[in-house]
Amino acid sequence: MTRQTSRPRLPSQARREGREGTRPPEAGPGEVEIALTVNGTRRTVRVEPRVSLLDALRERLGVTGPKKGCDQGACGACTVLVEGRRVLGCLTLAITCEGRPVTTVEGLADGDRLHPVQEAFIANDAFQCGYCTPGQLMSAVALLEEGRAGDDAEIAEWMSGNICRCAAYPNIRAAVRQVRDARAEGEGGR
Amino acid sequence: MRPFSYTRVSDPATAVEEVASDPDSAFLAGGTTEVDLIRIGVARPRRVVDINALPVSRIEEAPDGGVRLGGLARMSDVAAHPVVRERYPVLARALESGASPQLRNMATMGGNMMQRVRCSYFRDGDAACNKRAPGSGCAAIGGVNRGHAVLGTSEHCIAVHPSDAAVALTALEAVVRLRGPDGERSVPVGDFFLPPGDTPEREHPVEHGELITAIDVPPVPAARTSVYLKVRDRESYEFALASAAVVLRVQDGAVAEARIGLGGVATTPWRAHRAEEALVGAPAEGASYELAAVREMREAVPRSMNAYKVELAERTMVRALRTAAARAEGVG
Ligand SMILES: Cc1cc2nc3c(=O)[nH]c(=O)nc-3n(C[C@H](O)[C@H](O)[C@H](O)COP(=O)(O)OP(=O)(O)OC[C@H]3O[C@@H](n4cnc5c(N)ncnc54)[C@H](O)[C@@H]3O)c2cc1C
Ligand code: SF4
Ligand code: FES
Ligand code: FES
């Protein structure tokens, strides 16, 4: 079988590889230093292995865009991108994200220029209290990339991992449609 | 959340060795079950062994016309794979109707097969639950059991098996490939999920430290028009109250081949053998489907709050059979 490693190994582990009889290292249960790349910036942080990506971002790195709704995978408020794919920060251990770029809502804007999906959320009044919004935005960005914004039913299904207590759903769908249509127009005009 | 330590492994042999040699170590794949259960105190490993770097995530066409799904293939990638969509729509649909897009990007096929029940007494660390604390009793039998099983239950546990994908894989007669300290072996999906009986804590014939390396789906020509229908309390991001996976072949107006899996109503991904027997040779029409469905559910054992599931399962089966027949006839 070919060895196919999709992500970097712990440095000490890479060193030990291939040596007969050596076991892979065990990190923790106490704090260990890990490096995370968040919104393009590499940062080191000390965490116990049990710390979720969500808690590492919010409590240790001051990246408070991702929200904690349920902490059990049921609401989507903690949605972030890891290696470009939308995942849940609350069920991801921070230590598993070494070497895998993480994007949060803070990473969407380009300086003061909001991301088109953020603009569309404002234009369409796609939130009320705003608690679910960072997760909705990350899911909407991913959904447009995934090409799942064909019609309203498809948008609803592929946004269903993000619960909105304020039920801003129709306006969220309108925002997604607007970005989808703007992009289609942009491509047609080229 | 209890503390635990963490080891990352990059080859299957080491993964197996690390977990098999330590009763308190557990594999960590997507973490969507494991991290959740550790956080609520139901799973209590001393250490998690991260298997995400293992080279067993591929989705490959098999020479015989089937497909091999790597144990670490993500639900989303399997569902989106063109070969899976074309040959096994029932599986693609089952996967896409489970959890949410974010969870499906994380969750693996191996983890999906090993996921634990969603019974609220199992998840609540204090209630009597034979699955979590063998011998303590079953709080669901005299408690809130609206979501619980009516097929395959025992007096010791009535929890529903939560997986959608496993229901499709049951109908497709897939085979689970395992690697353990003593080498590799295969277990048909039909034997992979154990009914609770007297030992509800034992859910699979899998030894501690055995790794799911792949799931082999055999060639099933009739599966090209297969159907998965899931009925639930809300339209999406919810477990099934009843679901049906149907592979149907119709010839000259009669059912030539039928394979049916049921979800949401049984303690294991349920193979509806009795309904299948009733169908083969019968005219491909509503009356046959209804008869078959009733026959399957005749042995259901409803509890105080879930009698509705008997009829719901029947209707779900009938509707899925109708849809599958229409599709099968559509392609001639
Ligand atoms: C909110 C929510 C909703 C959900 N809804 C649905 C739904 O509608 N339908 C559905 O089918 N599922 C649903 N799920 C369950 C989800 O599909 C499973 O949690 C997931 O498939 C588990 O895979 P994982 O890779 O995350 O496993 P992990 O959480 O990493 O592991 C789960 C268990 O399997 C073991 N394990 C993992 N990989 C292997 C392997 N290769 N070999 C041996 N053992 C292994 C682990 O040690 C652990 O005990 C839902 C989950 C959540 C949180
Ligand atoms: S149904 Fe099973 S899982 Fe639920 S309380 Fe009873 S024994 Fe536990
Ligand atoms: S906080 Fe992660 S899904 Fe709710
Ligand atoms: S805007 Fe309030 S929860 Fe969505």
Side-chain angles (χ1 to χ4, degrees), chain B residues 83-107:
Chain B
V83 172
V84 173
R85 298 190 81 80
E86 184 188 325
R87 294 182 190 169
Y88 311 107
V90 64
L91 178 58
R93 192 69 213 112
L95 285 164
E96 281 183 351
S97 71
S100 71
Q102 292 95 310
L103 285 159
R104 297 195 294 268
N105 277 343
M106 305 167 69

Side-chain angles (χ1 to χ4, degrees), chain B residues 136-196:
Chain B
S136 62
C138 170
I141 288 178
V144 177
N145 50 36
R146 172 178 178 271
H148 286 70
V150 294
L151 291 170
T153 58
S154 74
E155 287 313 305
H156 304 288
C157 179
I158 59 170
V160 155
H161 193 278
S163 172
D164 292 294
V167 174
L169 291 168
T170 295
L172 293 169
E173 295 182 357
V175 173
V176 181
R177 294 175 60 90
L178 294 166
R179 174 174 182 148
D182 304 325
E184 299 191 1
R185 64 188 180 109
S186 298
V187 180
V189 166
D191 300 329
F192 190 79
F193 299 93
L194 306 176

Side-chain angles (χ1 to χ4, degrees), chain A residues 13 17 23 26 50 73 160, chain B residues 1 5 8 10 18 236-237:
Chain A
Q13 183 179 353
E17 281 247 329
R23 297 187 46 194
E26 189 171 319
R50 65 176 165 168
S160 70
Chain B
M1 189 179 198
S5 61
R8 192 177 296 161
S10 51
E18 288 297 315
S236 185
Y237 201 5

